[in-house]
Amino acid sequence: ATLQNQDVQGLVHELQVHQLEIEMQNESLRSAQRDIEKLHEQYQELFDCAPVAYLMLDTTAAIMRANTAAVMLIGNSRSRLIGQRLSAYFAREDVLALQQHLCSAQSNTRALCELRLKPVNGLHVHVRMDTSVIPSLEGTWLIVLTDISERKRSVEALERLNVELESRVAARTAELETRNRELEAESLARTRSETCRMSLESRLGEVHRLESLGTLAAGIAHEINNPLAF
């Protein structure tokens, strides 16, 4: 059937309205896209410039992303980090503990531990690892690394100082105990010597008394014998 002129105009108007709606929707989508891109750029900037080390691992524990702090902490370039297994950058003795830590995070969605990175400039880097699982990203791990090397060295130095102090206190205590025993022995010897001296003085006094009595008796006998001699 031939469309009436009024019907054609109505269809054209509807198409124009529909086109305007589509253009408005497209503009809204483009605006939303720009906002998303802006937020993504801000997130990227915040992630990369964060003062703490951030790593993102895939389900095989390979490094997907690393911010500047993580690159500096681990001591390798970003290009070499990406795609490498995280265990490659930890001390061999701590690799098993790292695996157990990731398993714990997988089971509990979050886990904390302290491990050692491989030597950087000849020294192990002690780190506190805070790992969270991101379910929305198909089990991706987000790891926060905090350098605790200085605290560790301070604690170890304090422990060494405590051991040294305990050793010194033990040696001084033993020395004082030995001197105390010596003083007790000297005191006992002096007590015995004093007792012996007092005993000797008592005996000497007794001898003097006996001598005095003997002298007195001799004098009396002499006085008695003198009259008898006449």
Side-chain angles (χ1 to χ4, degrees):
T2 303
L3 294 175
Q4 296 294 327
N5 185 42
Q6 185 177 359
D7 295 334
V8 172
Q9 290 179 354
L11 289 173
V12 170
H13 178 73
E14 290 180 4
L15 288 173
Q16 290 175 341
V17 171
H18 187 60
Q19 182 178 2
L20 288 174
E21 290 176 350
I22 291 175
E23 289 178 355
M24 291 176 63
Q25 291 176 359
N26 287 338
E27 181 59 29
S28 178
L29 290 173
R30 284 192 292 269
S31 177
Q33 181 67 26
R34 287 193 295 270
D35 291 340
I36 291 173
E37 290 175 353
K38 186 177 181 180
L39 289 173
H40 183 69
E41 289 175 359
Q42 292 175 348
Y43 165 76
Q44 288 279 60
E45 185 176 355
L46 288 172
F47 179 85
D48 196 53
C49 297
V52 295
Y54 285 118
L55 292 171
M56 289 184 69
L57 307 183
D58 62 19
T59 54
T60 66
I63 300 173
M64 298 170 56
R65 296 182 62 188
N67 69 348
T68 302
V71 170
M72 295 177 63
L73 180 62
I74 295 175
N76 206 343
S77 65
R78 196 189 308 267
S79 60
R80 291 184 178 180
L81 284 178
I82 304 303
Q84 295 293 316
R85 297 292 294 273
L86 182 63
S87 57
Y89 298 99
F90 279 84
R92 182 180 301 175
E93 299 83 1
D94 290 355
V95 170
L96 179 59
L98 171 63
Q99 295 171 350
Q100 293 173 343
H101 168 77
L102 293 177
C103 289
S104 178
Q106 187 71 42
S107 302
N108 304 312
T109 68
R110 186 177 181 184
L112 297 170
C113 72
E114 293 183 3
L115 299 172
R116 295 171 300 167
L117 292 171
K118 281 185 175 179
V120 177
N121 299 326
L123 296 174
H124 278 102
V125 178
H126 294 265
V127 295
R128 180 177 182 268
M129 180 180 289
D130 185 349
T131 302
S132 302
V133 175
I134 309 175
S136 60
L137 297 179
E138 299 180 355
T140 301
W141 284 295
L142 174 63
I143 293 177
V144 181
L145 296 178
T146 306
D147 188 350
I148 58 171
S149 300
E150 191 62 34
R151 179 173 67 82
K152 271 287 187 181
R153 284 192 285 269
S154 298
V155 170
E156 290 172 356
L158 185 60
E159 289 175 349
R160 288 194 297 270
L161 180 60
N162 286 337
V163 170
E164 183 179 352
L165 288 176
E166 289 175 358
S167 177
R168 289 183 179 182
V169 169
R172 184 58 178 165
T173 301
E175 181 182 343
L176 291 175
E177 289 176 350
T178 300
R179 183 56 183 161
N180 187 51
R181 288 193 294 268
E182 292 175 352
L183 291 174
E184 289 178 352
E186 290 178 5
S187 177
L188 181 59
R190 288 179 181 179
T191 301
R192 290 176 178 175
S193 177
E194 185 67 18
T195 302
C196 182
R197 184 185 66 79
M198 293 176 63
S199 177
L200 290 175
E201 287 179 352
S202 177
R203 291 181 182 181
L204 184 60
E206 186 67 22
V207 169
H208 286 164
R209 284 195 297 273
L210 292 175
E211 288 179 351
S212 298
L213 289 174
T215 301
L216 180 61
I220 293 172
H222 180 71
E223 293 294 330
I224 294 174
N225 288 333
N226 282 338
L228 293 177
F230 293 100

